[in-house]
Amino acid sequence: MHRRQALVVRGGWDGHQPVEATELFIPHLQNHGYEVRVEESPRVYADASFMARVDLVVQCMTMSSIEEAEVQGLRAAVEAGTGLAGWHGGIADSYRNSSDYLHLIGGQFACHPGVRPAERTGEQSDNYVPYTVNMLPAAADHPITRGIGDFELVTEQYWVLCDDYIDVLATTTQKVRDWDPWHRPVVSPAIWTRQWGQGRVFVATPGHHMPVLKDPNVRTIIERGLLWASR
């Protein structure tokens, strides 16, 4: 039986635990019949012959940089039907040097509002705030989100800059707080998909570190999203 091919590209900022995070989902892919190859840089994206055989790219690469041949190889593969999926900064805050990558993904992390300034200690937890992931009507029957209602998290809440070619399944609303410079609530996409040529893109912004990824709602959405995006 032909085994589907998944490519995991991981690395970048260690705070997002790229190795541990991807290892959480690799068994899920293997259990669904995927052969999984793991790479620690985006160089593989420039290998056109290999990328043509990839059914799913799982990217967990926060920030870092990408070369022109690599981003064009990724775009070409997705256009031809390779799925692209990821969570949090591993996909929505990757390769800030590439507008072509941003164009492919459709949304870019801008900031994560933090706790009250007087309470900040310089740790990652300065940006952990309570917020709600609000499921939209489109999510009710979507295979990624079916049966999942609104849920609460205490973690980084991504403020995302995006375009209207993304298909949003869930949002989150940045509150107005007396120490912030904005003056009305701001709604950002929290879970979205995107059709790019023959390929599918899936993004979930929750997923800062392992405790968030192990949240039953977050884990279920990501597991389903990986399979949905795949060729």
Side-chain angles (χ1 to χ4, degrees):
M1 184 181 73
H2 171 69
R3 288 175 63 82
R4 290 180 288 180
Q5 178 72 55
L7 170 65
V8 173
V9 174
R10 66 191 184 190
W13 185 59
D14 286 340
H16 286 158
Q17 300 179 281
V19 173
E20 297 89 339
T22 52
E23 292 294 333
L24 181 66
F25 295 102
I26 286 173
H28 171 69
L29 294 172
Q30 293 170 329
N31 291 338
H32 282 83
Y34 288 83
E35 179 181 339
V36 180
R37 172 175 168 178
V38 177
E39 293 289 335
E40 309 292 337
S41 88
R43 284 190 296 271
V44 66
Y45 293 155
D47 184 344
S49 61
F50 174 71
M51 292 299 295
R53 304 192 301 274
V54 174
D55 299 298
L56 173 66
V57 173
V58 182
Q59 185 181 262
C60 190
M61 180 71 71
T62 302
M63 294 179 283
S64 193
S65 61
I66 192 167
E67 299 298 325
E68 182 66 17
E70 297 162 1
V71 73
Q72 295 309 324
L74 176 62
R75 283 172 60 106
V78 175
E79 285 183 38
T82 298
L84 174 60
W87 54 88
H88 202 62
I91 192 168
D93 189 23
S94 307
Y95 317 132
R96 295 177 182 177
N97 67 314
S98 175
S99 60
D100 286 338
Y101 175 80
L102 175 59
H103 191 209
L104 173 64
I105 301 302
Q108 167 65 43
F109 161 79
C111 76
H112 32 50
V115 300
R116 187 178 298 277
E119 299 171 0
R120 296 175 189 174
T121 64
E123 301 297 324
Q124 292 182 37
S125 57
D126 288 352
N127 296 314
Y128 298 172
V129 298
Y131 70 91
T132 305
V133 176
N134 299 111
M135 311 308 293
L136 300 186
D141 296 317
H142 197 285
I144 296 175
T145 45
R146 184 181 298 122
I148 297 176
D150 296 354
F151 59 95
E152 308 293 324
L153 294 171
V154 180
T155 183
E156 291 184 348
Q157 182 185 29
Y158 265 22
W159 181 315
V160 173
L161 307 179
C162 62
D163 64 39
D164 68 1
Y165 187 61
I166 61 174
D167 296 314
V168 181
L169 297 176
T171 62
T172 184
T173 300
Q174 312 283 350
K175 297 178 180 178
V176 178
R177 304 168 307 175
D178 58 14
W179 64 91
D180 291 318
W182 52 91
H183 302 284
R184 62 176 183 267
V186 178
V187 178
S188 289
I191 303 164
W192 74 83
T193 65
R194 188 172 180 88
Q195 187 77 36
W196 198 260
Q198 299 301 309
R200 291 172 164 181
V201 178
F202 159 77
V203 179
T205 64
H208 172 68
H209 58 177
M210 296 300 289
V212 181
L213 290 168
K214 290 179 178 179
D215 175 273
N217 291 305
V218 175
R219 185 168 184 170
T220 297
I221 287 167
I222 292 174
E223 287 179 343
R224 291 176 179 178
L226 299 181
L227 300 181
W228 176 88
S230 180
R231 188 195 312 273

